[in-house]
Amino acid sequence: MSEKISLAGLTPEEISSSLQLKPAFRAKQVYEWIAKGVESFDQMTNIDKATREKLDSSALLRSSSVSQVLRDPDGTIKLQITLNDGRAIETVLLTDKEGRKTACVSCQAGCAMKCAFCQTGQLGLGRNLTAGEIVEEFLFMEKEAGKLDNIVFMGMGEPFQNLDAIRKAVAVLTDPKGRALSSRRITLSTCGLIKGIYDLANFGPKMRLAISLTTADEDLRNQLMPVTKGNSLPELKKAISYFIEKTGKRVTLEAALLSGKNTGKESAERLIDFARGLDVYINLIPWNPVPGLDFETPSPEETRNFVRLLENANLNVNLRTRRGEKIGGACGQLGRSQMQES
């Protein structure tokens, strides 16, 4: 591990104090160059050579590195990133029909939530990422794919278990003097940690919230998502209602559709009842296969019938297109390290 100071994720004031840069505006210049994605200090053309040499000897632009770039024929890109302690994370680029680019970033190496249908949940938790490592994910993907429109904390890990680092990373990425990403372009997805929802509602930062609900059947959810124990559905609904009232933002309810598990009429009725009275958007995605997990992807007919039941209840429903499967980059697949056979 390097003893050099990693600069991504630091504010201009932190850069200045860490490196004793003078005059004071030098740190602001370095900060602006980092936001532009430069790969070496020599590219900082408005900084004198002596300062650039000092930076090169005492600092790093990135503490992590991209070990592999995987590309799916559908346009999805997955970056496998090696952290400075040798741990690995993954970051995915998703592009919608309008061409908008979204970076799906990780906040932890691994995950402690153990959701039964998720590859990452089978890994266990390695550690939280630093704010700088989160910023680096975004910058690495921007270098690979061009300017990004959105960032979603839906990669490896449970965001509310690392909220301080996410707050710092978001502050850096949304800083008008830096990358200047709009807070309206940021979404945090949680498996349902109620305390975190209240924390985000009360103390920010301003961003969109998505809940990985999967099912509104308490018993089934407890089997599929251990987080349910201690974060019951009635209390989760109260927290979502509070977030909506406090922030004025609509919340997204997400569900991975598991054939024969959460796609029947009773499952639809429970989800409809859960959503009643909430300003929510329903995001559905047929389960993406993970080797070794005993679930099945619903048939197109099974999926259509479930969607129809929700739409007949006047819910706003979106059936997401499955993307990135061939590179293990689809929802729930992060943590797989090799290209899958087509």
Side-chain angles (χ1 to χ4, degrees), residues 3 7 11 41 44 86 114 139 268 280 318-319 322 331:
E3 294 182 0
L7 300 183
T11 64
F41 294 110
M44 299 180 177
K114 300 187 183 303
L139 296 176
V280 293
N318 174 54
L319 181 62
R322 295 162 64 191
C331 183

Side-chain angles (χ1 to χ4, degrees), residues 119-260:
Q119 168 72 44
T120 313
Q122 312 312 304
L123 301 177
L125 177 63
R127 67 168 173 85
N128 284 335
L129 301 189
T130 66
E133 288 167 336
I134 293 170
V135 171
E136 288 170 17
E137 289 183 74
F138 186 88
L139 296 176
F140 280 135
M141 186 58 80
E142 201 149 62
K143 174 183 179 296
E144 192 65 38
K147 189 172 183 179
L148 301 174
D149 300 294
N150 307 289
I151 181 171
V152 293
F153 291 96
M154 294 183 184
M156 300 170 68
E158 163 53 53
F160 283 142
Q161 288 193 327
N162 195 19
L163 188 54
D164 286 344
I166 288 174
R167 282 183 166 124
K168 178 71 179 299
V170 167
V172 170
L173 290 171
T174 58
D175 187 348
K177 298 176 182 178
R179 175 56 183 78
L181 183 70
S182 170
S183 62
R184 292 177 297 177
R185 303 286 190 174
I186 303 174
T187 301
L188 181 152
S189 177
T190 174
C191 66
L193 292 179
I194 292 169
K195 182 179 178 181
I197 296 172
Y198 284 111
D199 193 341
L200 186 65
N202 289 326
F203 304 110
K206 293 180 180 179
M207 63 172 70
R208 299 186 183 279
L209 177 66
I211 310 292
S212 180
L213 186 67
T214 302
T215 178
D217 180 322
E218 184 94 19
D219 291 336
L220 177 59
R221 192 170 193 267
N222 193 50
Q223 294 173 33
L224 298 173
M225 304 178 70
V227 69
T228 308
K229 189 175 295 183
N231 294 273
S232 70
L233 287 174
E235 293 303 315
L236 178 60
K237 183 170 181 176
K238 288 180 184 178
I240 294 170
S241 179
Y242 180 85
F243 181 89
I244 294 169
E245 182 179 357
K246 184 77 173 180
T247 67
K249 294 183 180 295
R250 173 181 290 184
V251 169
T252 299
L253 301 181
E254 303 168 321
L257 299 182
L258 309 166
S259 181

Side-chain angles (χ1 to χ4, degrees), residues 30-48:
V30 171
Y31 180 75
E32 291 169 350
W33 279 114
I34 292 171
K36 292 176 182 177
V38 297
E39 297 184 85
S40 74
F41 294 110
D42 283 340
Q43 292 178 285
M44 299 180 177
T45 53
N46 61 348
I47 296 177
D48 63 275

